[in-house]
Amino acid sequence: MKRNATDFLALEMNEIREAGREWIHRTLEGASDTVCKVEGKNVVMLCSNNYLGLSNHPKMKEAAIEAVKTHGVGSGSVRAIAGNMDLHEKWEKRLAKFKEQEAGFITSSGFAANQGVIQQLAPTADDIILSDRLNHGSIIDGVRTTKAKRAVYEHCDMASLEAEISKLAKGDPRRVLVISDGVFSMDGDYAPLDEIYKICEPYSNAIIYIDDAHGDGVLGKNYSGKGLVDHFGLQGKVHIEMGTFSKSFGTMGGSIVGSKELVTWCRNKTRSYLLSGSHPPATAAASIKALDIIENEEPTLVKSLWDKISFFKERIIEMGYNHELTSASGTAIIPIIFGDPHKAKEASNLLYSEYNIFALPILFPMVPRGLDRIRVQMNAALSQEQLEEALRAFEELGNKLKIF
Ligand SMILES: Cc1ncc(COP(=O)(O)O)c(C=O)c1O
């Protein structure tokens, strides 16, 4: 057969299929909500990032519709040229106020924020980067685009961070960038930010960068939803708080908050921002509304998420899904460990086909071998009835698959 330049596409896909790693995309035929229509079937959604139920919230939709009427559907350009709308500026100011920081900066996605900002923070071989072993792939990709010397420290292991930072700092680096997920997306545990701060404090050139994609809208003092920095009361001490609107806030868009200087610098240096069109006005307006809802209009929303997390997690552990990772999760991500890829897959298939529950499996290599799981993600909008229904399903499943 005559080979052509793109033969590798089919070959690589065969390899992926044979390894059982092809992503089969299920189709949502309607909104992402507590109950979603997935390929003709109504199922309770247990694996979306929509922690506060905002992605189909009536007030969010109203705000988006209003913005379409006044501002159209597209921005027409990148922010720096002709795509800087008043709604974008309002969005950044609203976010800064919510996060109690001087200024905010929005990028097209969280991925673009990590990739674009990390690339500029420590670009040269005179810089060093220290990154938690379980940091998100977008951080890893950002780090890969720099020439910085780098080390991976063990997951949330402060002795490991301390050892790596003191070793690398001996080379008298120009900048020391310490990066951690706030909340770790597979296990739902969170970084010991107070300790990271203490370790970094003696280094005058150490910059702390926290990716709070799964902490925003979830963590924070008195159920503020302001994230991990607020949880530890470290405002003004963590240099860069990164986040995304694609999870708790129900829309889309990466974010950076910090000093005015930081934001002005980001606006001028971040290539993934400068070279990419700005958000549609509807996204900006709905995002502003999300913060209004959390902070002012529905101040009990975050608390209601936590009530559901506690209820679900307690019951799931009690019934026998008592892996240490399940107990160690401290957020809306609740890993239910099956320990075997076939069992985790079978469990997910049964949940979907017999119990009308949508909860996809997460398997090796996305998680370590033997920690294959279903990652439940809680949603404040789930009703007590839906939670009970899900728990009944997990209990029957555990018995059927001889998990306990
Ligand atoms: C920890 C973390 N950081 C960054 C991102 C990227 O965010 P976005 O969906 O806005 O690109 C994600 C999303 O998967 C994430 O889990």
Side-chain angles (χ1 to χ4, degrees):
M1 191 177 77
K2 201 172 163 204
R3 290 186 65 80
N4 86 27
T6 56
D7 280 353
F8 73 92
L9 301 173
L11 291 173
E12 289 189 5
M13 272 319 299
N14 278 342
E15 282 169 24
I16 290 173
R17 272 182 207 118
E18 275 166 23
R21 288 197 283 114
E22 185 180 13
W23 282 101
I24 310 286
H25 296 39
R26 296 271 200 186
T27 310
L28 268 67
E29 295 154 353
S32 177
D33 212 324
T34 51
V35 173
C36 298
K37 192 166 180 197
V38 177
E39 293 166 7
K41 191 176 162 91
N42 284 332
V43 289
V44 174
M45 172 57 77
L46 280 191
C47 60
S48 86
N49 299 313
N50 185 23
Y51 300 124
L52 296 175
L54 292 178
S55 63
N56 193 36
H57 191 293
K59 288 183 186 170
M60 300 277 283
K61 293 198 280 191
E62 235 171 70
I65 291 164
E66 202 43 47
V68 170
K69 287 186 190 154
T70 56
H71 288 67
V73 295
S75 73
S77 178
V78 300
R79 292 275 301 277
I81 298 181
N84 182 40
M85 291 178 157
D86 51 356
L87 284 173
H88 296 124
E89 292 182 355
K90 221 174 137 187
W91 182 4
E92 288 174 333
K93 284 202 179 98
R94 183 69 186 87
L95 173 67
K97 182 172 170 276
F98 177 72
K99 298 281 280 182
E100 300 176 25
Q101 292 285 357
E102 276 180 19
F105 172 66
I106 300 290
T107 58
S108 54
S109 68
F111 194 104
N114 277 338
Q115 202 270 340
V117 175
I118 292 170
Q119 182 184 71
Q120 298 299 326
L121 281 169
T124 76
D126 294 330
D127 304 317
I128 64 175
I129 301 179
L130 295 120
S131 178
D132 187 289
R133 183 170 295 288
L134 295 191
N135 275 347
H136 190 256
S138 54
I139 294 176
I140 296 168
D141 278 22
V143 172
R144 281 183 181 153
T145 62
T146 80
K147 295 195 177 76
K149 293 189 188 73
R150 59 200 71 163
V152 170
Y153 62 91
E154 295 311 320
H155 175 53
C156 287
D157 180 337
M158 294 300 100
S160 170
L161 171 60
E162 200 154 19
E164 294 297 344
I165 201 170
S166 62
K167 195 164 68 194
L168 282 176
K170 284 199 182 99
D172 199 18
R174 189 179 68 136
R175 298 178 196 158
V176 177
L177 180 61
V178 177
I179 312 180
S180 178
D181 274 15
V183 173
F184 290 86
S185 53
M186 293 298 152
D187 295 348
D189 56 337
Y190 54 82
L193 194 50
D194 50 346
E195 294 177 51
I196 293 177
Y197 173 71
K198 269 190 216 138
I199 290 170
C200 291
E201 210 184 1
Y203 299 91
S204 60
N205 54 354
I207 305 162
I208 304 178
Y209 183 110
I210 289 295
D211 173 341
D212 218 7
H214 296 271
D216 280 342
V218 177
L219 293 172
K221 285 202 175 113
N222 304 318
Y223 305 107
S224 69
K226 294 180 185 199
L228 189 71
V229 170
D230 186 59
H231 172 88
F232 282 109
L234 286 170
Q235 278 97 342
K237 292 183 169 158
V238 169
H239 305 89
I240 305 173
E241 266 186 87
M242 175 270 166
T244 177
F245 276 73
S246 72
K247 306 194 190 298
S248 287
F249 301 148
T251 57
M252 175 95 209
S255 68
I256 296 281
V257 291
S259 67
K260 279 188 186 152
E261 254 170 6
L262 168 73
V263 165
T264 309
W265 178 91
C266 284
R267 244 185 247 303
N268 285 278
K269 297 280 282 189
T270 310
R271 292 168 64 77
S272 59
Y273 166 85
L274 287 164
L275 304 174
S276 186
S278 55
H279 281 279
T283 307
S287 300
I288 294 166
K289 181 48 89 175
L291 301 177
D292 288 343
I293 290 174
I294 297 168
E295 201 164 37
N296 304 323
E297 297 172 20
E298 298 183 24
T300 57
L301 192 53
V302 180
K303 162 89 169 60
S304 97
L305 171 67
W306 276 97
D307 289 344
K308 281 159 201 180
I309 294 169
S310 307
F311 172 74
F312 189 88
K313 197 172 132 180
E314 223 167 83
R315 291 273 303 272
I316 211 92
I317 291 173
E318 250 170 42
M319 76 176 64
Y321 293 103
N322 52 8
H323 193 279
E324 62 192 40
L325 282 182
T326 312
S327 322
S329 147
T331 61
I333 294 167
I334 305 172
I336 301 184
I337 309 297
F338 288 83
D340 171 283
H342 304 289
K343 264 194 185 159
K345 254 188 187 169
E346 193 184 350
S348 170
N349 287 340
L350 283 171
L351 283 170
Y352 180 76
S353 59
E354 291 189 16
Y355 300 100
N356 300 331
I357 287 175
F358 194 68
L360 287 193
I362 310 240
L363 312 173
F364 174 83
M366 284 184 76
V367 290
R369 227 183 266 283
L371 292 178
D372 309 276
R373 67 193 66 184
I374 285 179
R375 177 180 60 168
V376 167
Q377 293 176 276
M378 203 34 65
N379 180 337
L382 283 161
S383 67
Q384 184 64 21
E385 210 180 2
Q386 288 163 338
L387 287 176
E388 301 272 7
E389 187 185 328
L391 286 163
R392 265 196 308 277
F394 271 103
E395 185 148 35
E396 285 187 33
L397 197 72
N399 288 323
K400 238 183 223 171
L401 299 181
K402 302 197 173 20
I403 305 295
F404 35 77

